[in-house]
Amino acid sequence: MKEGTKLHKELEDEVHTTVRVEVVSKEDAFGLKVWNLIQGLRTLRDTGLTRELEVWGFVDGNLVNGVIDGLSYDHPDPEFEAELRQSQESQPSITDYFASQKPGMQRIPQVYLTDVKTRGKRSTANAAQLRPAKVQLFLYHRFLSVMAAEKLDYLRVFRRYNLDPDEPFSDSFIAQIASLHDDEFFDIDHPSDDEDVPKASGSQQPADGSQTSTASSAPDFIKYRTLRELLPLLVAELKQTLPHGADSVGRLLSVEYRYRADGSLIDNRIFPMDDGALDSYIGGTMQWWKAEREPKGVQIEDAWKCLYCEFAEVCTWRKSMDEGRLRSSRERLEVKRKNSGQ
């Protein structure tokens, strides 16, 4: 696990320079997430690649966040996409992997999502091991598409995290972020002449001769003091990076399997986004989560997970599977005895 985390960090360091930022409040902490997302989008535009990009979305009313391992303008497999499009045209009933094409849509720049998985041995992953990665990428694709289409309710996200969008960031946090983004952090167009600063209508001198100074509020040149003030910048960066909204997010996804010891590539699995499969998975999972259906056992290919399950000894599904196998064995033996007696 530690080696896998180390590999992810090494990949991130290939495109990002890590700068330590101290946070004081939970608003600071989330503000840092937003600034990291903004910087990630800029890195994608500047270099064609970014890593560790955080996204948020709602699943059946529940807030979910995730971190996309890699985003790139490089198409993972143009030939595979062409084959899928031909299949879609020849079979109208096939799952609609791709959005309906508008004139010139094929020529717009698109970004493609990649997930990186590490393995302790050089063997390739089977279908059962690939399944969780596919669902993960399906979710991330949907979240990013919703954000690109400007349909994510960020204030709802703030409420879920119990954040106050109007709570000012701490002075130390503002100072640190300003040092990293000083070219845009201050509003240079803010009026600064003395005549533009509100003055007291009149000052009176007390009877004892002392002078009373009337405080006037100094102009505030800082543009991003709160989460609410930072949101328009995030939306603008998403718009600039993904100008065609959800259509800017490519519908081919890939999972890289890398050898944990040295990071070398073992395999690269490419597959199309499948909204129907994702909806089906979410629907079934949430039914169980909300106790609307009985739990089901894993598919037989995933039975190895039972080795790590704390309920394995009392699992009724395992018991029924064992009883079924025992019953089948007895039936085969009975058939064999009857055949041998003839």
Side-chain angles (χ1 to χ4, degrees):
M1 188 70 178
K2 290 182 178 179
E3 291 178 346
T5 302
K6 179 182 177 182
L7 176 59
H8 277 78
K9 178 60 177 172
E10 290 174 352
L11 292 173
E12 181 183 7
D13 289 343
E14 291 177 359
V15 295
H16 296 302
T17 300
T18 302
V19 178
R20 184 175 180 81
V21 176
E22 298 290 342
V23 298
V24 175
S25 66
K26 55 188 178 183
E27 284 76 18
D28 286 356
F30 201 86
L32 182 59
K33 290 177 179 288
V34 175
W35 276 110
N36 284 339
L37 175 52
I38 290 170
Q39 186 58 47
L41 293 170
R42 292 173 176 175
T43 301
L44 176 60
R45 294 199 304 269
D46 293 342
T47 69
L49 171 68
T50 194
R51 295 193 183 276
E52 303 299 312
L53 193 81
E54 186 163 3
V55 290
W56 303 277
F58 288 90
V59 176
D60 197 25
N62 300 282
L63 177 62
V64 180
N65 78 304
V67 178
I68 302 172
D69 287 340
L71 267 173
S72 171
Y73 287 109
D74 292 337
H75 198 298
D77 194 334
E79 293 182 1
F80 180 41
E81 181 169 331
E83 293 175 2
L84 289 173
R85 291 191 186 280
Q86 290 176 357
S87 299
Q88 182 177 328
E89 293 171 358
S90 61
Q91 303 179 47
S93 60
I94 194 171
T95 300
D96 188 12
Y97 292 121
F98 301 98
S100 57
Q101 295 294 302
K102 306 179 182 67
M105 183 62 71
Q106 294 91 335
R107 295 187 294 273
I108 70 170
Q110 291 184 310
V111 298
Y112 298 91
L113 284 68
T114 298
D115 192 52
V116 178
K117 301 296 184 187
T118 58
R119 293 178 63 80
K121 49 187 178 181
R122 294 187 181 276
S123 61
T124 59
N126 58 36
Q129 293 167 331
L130 177 63
R131 191 181 305 115
K134 292 179 71 173
V135 173
Q136 181 180 353
L137 276 175
F138 288 166
L139 277 173
Y140 291 175
H141 183 282
R142 179 167 293 180
F143 293 166
L144 183 60
S145 297
V146 170
M147 293 171 68
E150 300 183 29
K151 293 181 179 180
L152 178 62
D153 186 348
Y154 291 98
L155 295 181
R156 186 182 177 194
V157 174
F158 295 159
R159 288 194 297 271
R160 176 61 182 81
Y161 283 125
N162 196 26
L163 298 168
D164 183 351
D166 299 308
E167 176 69 20
F169 298 129
S170 66
D171 291 341
S172 61
F173 178 76
I174 291 176
Q176 293 171 89
I177 297 298
S179 68
L180 299 172
H181 302 277
D182 57 347
D183 57 334
E184 63 178 329
F185 204 81
F186 300 98
D187 188 358
I188 60 175
D189 296 325
H190 194 290
S192 58
D193 295 333
D194 290 342
E195 60 269 17
D196 292 325
V197 179
K199 296 182 175 62
S201 58
S203 59
Q204 296 181 350
Q205 187 170 350
D208 60 4
S210 62
Q211 182 69 40
T212 300
S213 62
T214 304
S216 60
S217 58
D220 187 354
F221 297 101
I222 299 176
K223 295 169 65 175
Y224 309 115
R225 282 192 175 275
T226 67
L227 287 170
R228 191 187 298 274
E229 292 177 351
L230 189 55
L231 273 184
L233 178 61
L234 172 58
V235 173
E237 292 291 335
L238 283 164
K239 182 68 174 178
Q240 187 174 354
T241 309
L242 307 168
H244 297 274
D247 288 330
S248 293
V249 185
R251 293 182 66 83
L252 275 189
L253 310 170
S254 61
V255 179
E256 291 182 0
Y257 287 96
R258 293 182 175 270
Y259 187 43
R260 194 171 297 147
D262 59 13
S264 59
L265 183 65
I266 300 173
D267 193 13
N268 187 26
R269 301 289 186 87
I270 300 173
F271 47 88
M273 173 65 187
D274 191 334
D275 291 291
L278 178 59
D279 290 337
S280 177
Y281 178 86
I282 291 175
T285 301
M286 294 309 298
Q287 282 181 339
W288 173 79
W289 186 260
K290 295 185 290 187
E292 295 175 353
R293 68 164 175 84
E294 292 295 321
K296 299 177 182 177
V298 296
Q299 297 186 25
I300 195 65
E301 297 90 346
D302 293 329
W304 59 270
K305 296 179 180 179
C306 298
L307 297 173
Y308 307 97
C309 179
E310 59 182 307
F311 304 105
E313 296 301 322
V314 295
C315 179
T316 56
W317 174 78
R318 281 169 55 91
K319 182 179 179 180
S320 64
M321 291 288 288
D322 290 340
E323 291 174 348
R325 284 194 294 269
L326 181 60
R327 186 167 52 252
S328 296
S329 297
R330 287 173 176 171
E331 290 173 353
R332 286 195 298 270
L333 288 173
E334 183 65 24
V335 170
K336 185 179 293 186
R337 280 197 296 267
K338 289 181 179 180
N339 291 337
S340 62
Q342 291 178 352

